[in-house]
Amino acid sequence: MRFSFTPEQEEFRTGLRRALDARSPTKEVRRLMATETGFEREGWQKLNQELGLTAIHIPEAYGGQGFGYAELAIVLEEAGRGLLCAPFLSTVLATTAILNAGTEEQKRALLPAIADGTTTATLAFSEDDGRNDAAGVATVANHSGGTYRLDGIKSFVLDGQTADLIVVLARRPGSSGEDGLSFFTVSGDTPGLERRGLKTMDETRKLARLEFNAVEARLLGEAEAASAPFARTMQQAAVLLANEMVGGADRLREDALAYSKMRMQFGRAIASFQTTKNKAADMLVDVELAKSAAYYAAAALDEGDDDMPAIASLAKACAAEAYLQTAIHAVQMHGGIGFTWDNDTHLWFKRAKSSEILFGDANQHRELMMQHWKHYKGTGDG
């Protein structure tokens, strides 16, 4: 397993950062986050087609570029660094679910339009009470006459109010736990589907509440066989979000350090004060450790590591705490102004707070990690 990026990957990162710096400065982030949709479709399609963002990890057979999760993690890290306002993470999550659960015919039908940026997509799995585990799924899929119809509510859906295609996790009526789960695809304009944007602290990431009232849906993959694909998708989601988070944390660290070198107090830069040095050192250690965990997890996805459940949870927990703590230090180093509307630091602070709980907080992922190790050792393999 590699623990460093290749020269080609570093070159890819450099070009991507240059493009996102030009297309997603904080002035543009502020403009887009103030809109109802959070992005402009024409601008996103043009950027996506130029850089091939959503096509990165889609196999070439389905119109993608066929790269691995290491390359996708680089894109997520750079997107997090620039607070890219676009339905990128949501579309990537829906894509992974289709790749994990879909049939060959469904992949050929759905993925090319996602790869070329024509279709935006999202994954709806969290219930109205916030539960995002398989046992907590309450949305039901009624099957009659060869047609599936969904009833229930999905909440906290990334870009759910604008997605063209929605991948929905639902269960057979009367089933419980991990039994009876299936993935379905629903078009965003299907009759009976009500979509409402949620008011959130982090305006750079739009969330929605989706209400399904006998909404006609198409089965994705095999019926009542979504438990394993869903678990795999959530592991991938945790790893991808962890990489996005370390990108934002590193940007905060760099900006805070640059400000402390420029800000003068008592006749010298505040970077020379010991308390500032301590914070800068803590930030560096936290971010680098989180990067190591996130990069390792991305490489583990490509390698198909058997311990992926624990590795993914470790990466998410580490990145969540590092991002939020770095954001706190950054605000303090800016001296109060960091949390004002005129300063950009608060934008990353709010993203850090929202990402901390997205797909489960650090405590939940530590519990999942320990459950995996307990099961692993209990089988006699450890």
Side-chain angles (χ1 to χ4, degrees), residues 46-105:
K46 182 178 179 180
L47 175 64
N48 190 33
Q49 290 170 356
E50 289 177 355
L51 300 178
L53 300 182
T54 54
I56 290 291
H57 75 308
I58 295 178
E60 294 182 42
Y62 312 126
Q65 298 182 20
F67 289 103
Y69 282 95
E71 288 77 16
L72 183 58
I74 291 174
V75 180
L76 264 300
E77 184 179 352
E78 294 304 315
R81 178 184 178 86
L83 288 184
L84 178 65
C85 288
F88 178 54
L89 179 60
S90 56
T91 299
V92 166
L93 295 182
T95 301
T96 59
I98 294 171
L99 288 170
N100 289 332
T103 65
E104 184 68 18
E105 182 181 357

Side-chain angles (χ1 to χ4, degrees), residues 54-343:
T54 54
I56 290 291
H57 75 308
I58 295 178
E60 294 182 42
Y62 312 126
Q65 298 182 20
F67 289 103
Y69 282 95
E71 288 77 16
L72 183 58
I74 291 174
V75 180
L76 264 300
E77 184 179 352
E78 294 304 315
R81 178 184 178 86
L83 288 184
L84 178 65
C85 288
F88 178 54
L89 179 60
S90 56
T91 299
V92 166
L93 295 182
T95 301
T96 59
I98 294 171
L99 288 170
N100 289 332
T103 65
E104 184 68 18
E105 182 181 357
Q106 290 169 334
K107 294 174 186 177
R108 292 186 181 276
L110 297 172
L111 294 178
I114 294 177
D116 66 19
T118 303
T119 297
T120 62
T122 190
L123 177 63
F125 57 92
S126 293
E127 295 297 319
D128 204 29
D129 60 3
R131 289 192 64 175
N132 54 24
D133 59 321
V137 174
T139 303
V140 297
N142 296 288
H143 190 205
S144 177
T147 301
Y148 285 95
R149 294 190 179 277
L150 304 183
D151 288 283
I153 296 174
K154 294 294 185 181
S155 198
F156 313 108
V157 181
L158 294 175
D159 300 303
Q161 76 278 22
T162 57
D164 302 316
L165 178 70
I166 306 168
V167 179
V168 186
L169 182 66
R171 68 168 63 253
R172 182 190 73 246
S175 64
S176 61
E178 296 184 358
D179 296 328
L181 294 178
S182 303
F183 274 123
F184 299 89
T185 57
V186 175
S187 176
D189 58 0
T190 303
L193 174 61
E194 297 181 13
R195 305 196 283 182
R196 176 172 61 85
L198 297 175
K199 187 174 180 59
T200 60
M201 176 184 69
D202 176 19
E203 296 180 80
T204 66
R205 172 165 278 158
K206 303 299 183 180
L207 302 177
R209 182 178 186 269
L210 310 183
E211 186 170 348
F212 298 86
N213 298 298
V215 174
E216 186 172 345
R218 293 185 178 182
L219 179 67
L220 179 66
E222 297 182 20
E224 302 183 28
S227 180
F230 174 62
R232 188 160 56 251
T233 300
M234 292 309 297
Q235 292 162 22
Q236 293 162 337
V239 173
L240 296 176
L241 181 58
N243 278 273
E244 183 194 84
M245 295 173 79
V246 298
D250 202 32
R251 171 66 180 270
L252 275 175
R253 183 191 66 81
E254 291 178 0
D255 287 353
L257 186 59
Y259 177 81
S260 68
K261 291 179 179 179
M262 176 271 295
R263 178 73 167 88
M264 303 297 292
Q265 197 171 56
F266 305 115
R268 57 179 177 150
I270 63 173
S272 65
F273 298 149
Q274 189 60 49
T275 184
T276 306
K277 293 179 181 179
N278 291 342
K279 290 185 184 299
D282 289 342
M283 293 165 72
L284 179 62
V285 171
D286 289 344
V287 172
E288 289 302 314
L289 285 175
K291 278 186 178 182
S292 296
Y295 295 166
Y296 180 91
L301 281 177
D302 285 328
E303 296 289 337
D305 197 301
D306 292 337
D307 288 325
M308 201 60 242
I311 294 172
S313 288
L314 173 64
K316 174 58 167 68
C318 187
E321 292 185 336
Y323 197 2
L324 186 58
Q325 190 57 55
T326 299
I328 292 172
H329 285 324
V331 169
Q332 292 173 342
M333 289 171 70
H334 277 79
I337 194 177
F339 204 74
T340 64
W341 182 255
D342 293 330
N343 189 276

